[in-house]
Amino acid sequence: MAEMNVTRRNLFKMGGIAAVAAAGASMLGGCAPQPAAVAEKKAADGGVPEFLQQPEPITEFAETKEYDVVVIGAGESGLAAAHTALEGGATVACVQNIPTAQTTGNMGASVDISKTDEAGVQACVAFLMEKNAYRSNRKLLEVWAKNSFEAINWWADAAAANGAESKPFDSTREYNGYTYYLHANTYNHLDGAHNAAALAIAEQLASDGVEFFYNTPAVQLYTEEGRVAGVICSGEEGDILFKAAKGVILASGDCSGNEEMRNYYCPDLRGFKTMSEFRDGRGMCMGIWAGAQMTPVNHSKMVHGGGALTRLQVPFLNLDIHGERFMNEMLNFAYLNNLMRGYLEEYDYQNPMAAKFFTIMPANWADIAIKWAEEYPTEVQLGVGNMKLPSEDQFVKGETLEELAANINAYMEAEQWGIDPIDEATIVESIRHYNELCATGVDGEFGKRAVFMTSIEEGPFFAVPRGANSVPAVLGGLVVDENQQCLDADRNPIPGFFAVGNASGQFYGGVDYPMDIEGLSIGRAITSGYVTGRYVAAL
């Protein structure tokens, strides 16, 4: 076998993780562990995953269009970038792989700098650094904290002008003795939630002069003399070259819709279902092929939602798919998914419903929850913004514990969970055992605070189907500097190439997306696009 002379720097110059995979397969002889999905689908080219293999460059075009700025993606970050680039005097095209502008979620958060002093801003940044395991690029957090209020207010005003009015949500936080004030747009009261605002803004931008090209997926970046000078898209009549005199802004979102990429960069997501298949990671792959670098593994994962109590932090009894208590119920809902991998494994990672569970509550659950929230507001939350307590018609109900247990199984069968029926005697015994534990005032099983050990004795009884089992986003993306400009293997900015929103990395860093600042993801996406469009237009 020929001797290989590969240094760490040469590996990165070969193309980041793709190079590591290729060289590693040759040097290590397959000894290194690999994510399951990648191991099952290895390419013939030295073990490089298929999505990282650079295709032959496209050199012939059915049409060429020229602009100052080309934005790839019409989500919140792309719309914000298109707005400020146009406002800065640039000609702007926005290409989108589906037939409409599209975003998800409800809230977009900002730091209210009209109330927050510099120490408060820095306290907010420090708090997020801690929550992100100190893997964030602090400069990116500062850009969000200092510019988000302007960006979020623009979004709210622009959407309202076209019929999608926000219901603001304001809150106050403290960290290390410093106070910072948060302001968020919320759209949960609208049909379509935040997407209603995005559609309203896209319509206005089109009237203002942004040219949108829907159903026109980007397939490759176009380079000239080491500079990203445009993007090649697939059109009805053939490939179209969109040239960009000032820069290309990648706002294509994350890779959560590409299971192979998702499991490669965030392997602990195996078994969870995809929420948005069109977020296929293609934009980030194009960036890697052009020399950009991906955020190092493991990427932060966003797994939350599911059930009527999705955003309610109410520590009643939780029972798993075996009818047994399995946790300290004070755990924030955003992190519950970390307890569910063993259940997913039981079903060979083929049934995401295995990540579900049931919260068991007494008849007077609402009175108890409201009292908890009033007395312990930092620990018990009854939703945010304009959210309301859920209706009991969304719950499984039983006049007795035995009836409740039977109805839980009936519910799972009716909803086609594909989960084996739970032994109903086990459900009843688990609830009665929990009541006995509550009577002692001490949680000798999971250490929950005694004040929240409330027995389930007053009927009718409720079981609330819960559990996050889908992936809204994988939070990694391309490595960027504080101007959102993509960096190469030597940490040099790639001329003409920028990434925003979830297509860009190093804003997060922990195992999970931090839910401690509600609406951070959307707020960050809008803000990163907002400041980058302005920056690129001024080049």
Side-chain angles (χ1 to χ4, degrees):
M1 183 175 69
E3 182 179 358
M4 293 186 67
N5 181 18
V6 182
T7 66
R8 178 179 175 82
R9 177 165 292 276
N10 286 338
L11 277 174
F12 282 100
K13 285 184 177 180
M14 288 167 62
I17 287 178
V20 174
S26 299
M27 294 188 292
L28 301 180
C31 295
Q34 299 175 331
V38 176
E40 294 168 1
K41 189 180 179 184
K42 294 180 68 174
D45 186 15
V48 180
E50 183 178 350
F51 64 86
L52 285 174
Q53 294 181 50
Q54 184 166 354
E56 290 295 322
I58 299 170
T59 57
E60 296 184 1
F61 315 108
E63 187 177 3
T64 298
K65 297 177 179 290
E66 297 189 7
Y67 299 87
D68 293 324
V69 177
V70 177
V71 179
I72 305 173
E76 57 264 64
S77 61
L79 296 176
H83 161 69
T84 51
L86 186 71
E87 189 178 54
T91 56
V92 182
C94 182
V95 299
Q96 173 80 324
N97 61 339
I98 59 175
T100 181
Q102 205 279 337
T103 182
T104 56
N106 171 41
M107 298 177 67
S110 69
V111 177
D112 186 345
I113 58 172
S114 71
K115 300 177 181 177
T116 307
D117 61 18
E118 183 62 24
V121 169
Q122 294 302 327
C124 180
V125 170
F127 173 72
L128 288 176
M129 287 293 293
E130 178 184 315
K131 286 294 177 179
N132 289 321
Y134 297 96
R135 294 181 68 209
S136 302
N137 179 340
R138 185 186 179 94
K139 291 180 179 179
L140 294 176
L141 298 179
E142 286 186 332
V143 169
W144 168 75
K146 294 181 177 181
N147 294 277
S148 55
F149 192 57
E150 177 185 348
I152 289 299
N153 279 317
W154 159 73
W155 181 277
D157 292 343
N162 288 275
E165 190 167 348
S166 164
K167 290 186 177 181
F169 174 69
D170 296 304
S171 60
T172 303
R173 306 290 177 86
E174 185 176 292
Y175 185 73
N176 288 342
Y178 301 102
T179 300
Y180 56 96
Y181 299 85
L182 299 174
H183 173 81
N185 304 331
T186 79
Y187 296 96
N188 206 50
H189 57 287
L190 299 180
D191 184 22
H194 198 264
N195 196 52
L199 293 174
I201 289 173
E203 182 179 353
Q204 183 60 54
L205 290 176
S207 298
D208 292 342
V210 174
E211 291 192 55
F212 286 90
F213 296 86
Y214 295 113
N215 286 326
T216 310
V219 293
Q220 285 183 20
L221 294 176
Y222 172 78
T223 61
E224 289 181 349
E225 299 179 351
R227 178 184 180 276
V228 173
V231 60
I232 303 164
C233 296
S234 176
E236 291 184 0
E237 304 299 325
D239 293 320
I240 306 170
L241 172 59
F242 290 84
K243 298 192 75 172
K246 292 179 178 289
V248 171
I249 301 175
L250 181 67
S252 56
D254 69 295
C255 64
S256 57
N258 184 322
E259 187 173 358
E260 185 182 19
M261 285 186 72
R262 193 182 78 186
N263 290 344
Y264 188 80
Y265 291 115
C266 197
D268 57 352
L269 279 175
R270 187 182 182 197
F272 291 99
K273 69 180 180 181
T274 296
M275 179 177 286
S276 302
E277 293 186 0
F278 67 89
R279 293 175 178 168
D280 58 8
R282 180 78 179 190
M284 289 180 284
C285 290
M286 292 190 302
I288 293 171
W289 302 335
Q293 306 298 301
M294 280 289 277
T295 297
V297 174
N298 189 1
H299 293 182
S300 301
K301 64 182 183 294
M302 181 186 288
V303 182
H304 62 257
L309 296 182
T310 292
R311 292 185 180 272
L312 274 66
Q313 179 70 21
V314 285
F316 291 105
L317 169 65
N318 288 339
L319 299 182
D320 63 14
I321 56 173
H322 304 301
E324 299 174 344
R325 189 183 182 211
F326 65 103
M327 64 175 295
N328 179 333
E329 290 86 359
M330 289 305 299
L331 180 66
N332 186 288
F333 75 89
Y335 309 113
L336 284 170
N337 61 85
N338 291 306
L339 301 180
M340 311 316 292
R341 280 187 288 278
Y343 301 101
L344 292 168
E345 185 178 9
E346 290 182 32
Y347 285 81
D348 296 322
Y349 300 99
Q350 299 303 306
N351 185 358
M353 301 308 290
K356 292 289 190 176
F357 62 94
F358 290 89
T359 294
I360 310 299
M361 305 191 304
N364 60 337
W365 68 274
D367 293 337
I368 296 171
I370 291 170
K371 184 173 184 292
W372 279 343
E374 290 174 348
E375 295 181 359
Y376 308 97
T378 61
E379 296 171 276
V380 178
Q381 298 175 6
L382 303 183
V384 293
N386 54 5
M387 301 187 74
K388 300 177 182 179
L389 288 177
S391 170
E392 291 177 357
D393 60 11
Q394 302 175 66
F395 303 168
V396 178
K397 182 179 178 181
E399 295 297 328
T400 65
L401 295 181
E402 289 77 10
E403 184 181 9
L404 181 71
N407 288 343
I408 286 174
N409 278 327
Y411 174 87
M412 291 196 302
E413 182 179 4
E415 294 296 316
Q416 299 181 334
W417 279 19
I419 299 296
D420 294 335
I422 306 172
D423 180 69
E424 292 170 13
T426 299
I427 295 175
V428 173
E429 176 56 32
S430 293
I431 298 172
R432 287 175 175 164
H433 174 68
Y434 180 74
N435 289 342
E436 293 170 358
L437 204 61
C438 291
T440 70
V442 178
D443 185 2
E445 292 182 335
F446 294 98
K448 184 163 71 175
R449 282 184 59 185
V451 69
F452 299 120
M453 294 293 290
T454 297
S455 59
I456 315 295
E457 295 181 312
E458 180 183 343
F461 304 100
F462 298 105
V464 186
R466 297 188 66 191
N469 65 350
S470 61
V471 184
V474 176
L475 305 170
L478 302 180
V479 177
V480 296
D481 63 16
E482 63 271 25
N483 296 315
Q484 302 286 150
Q485 190 161 5
C486 295
L487 304 181
D488 65 17
D490 292 318
R491 313 269 320 164
N492 295 318
I494 298 175
F497 188 39
F498 302 81
V500 296
N502 288 339
S504 63
Q506 295 181 292
F507 188 92
Y508 303 101
V511 172
D512 293 276
Y513 166 65
M515 290 292 295
D516 306 87
I517 294 180
E518 291 279 358
L520 179 61
S521 178
I522 290 176
R524 174 261 183 144
I526 293 172
T527 305
S528 62
Y530 189 87
V531 298
T532 304
R534 176 183 291 166
Y535 178 83
V536 176
L539 293 176

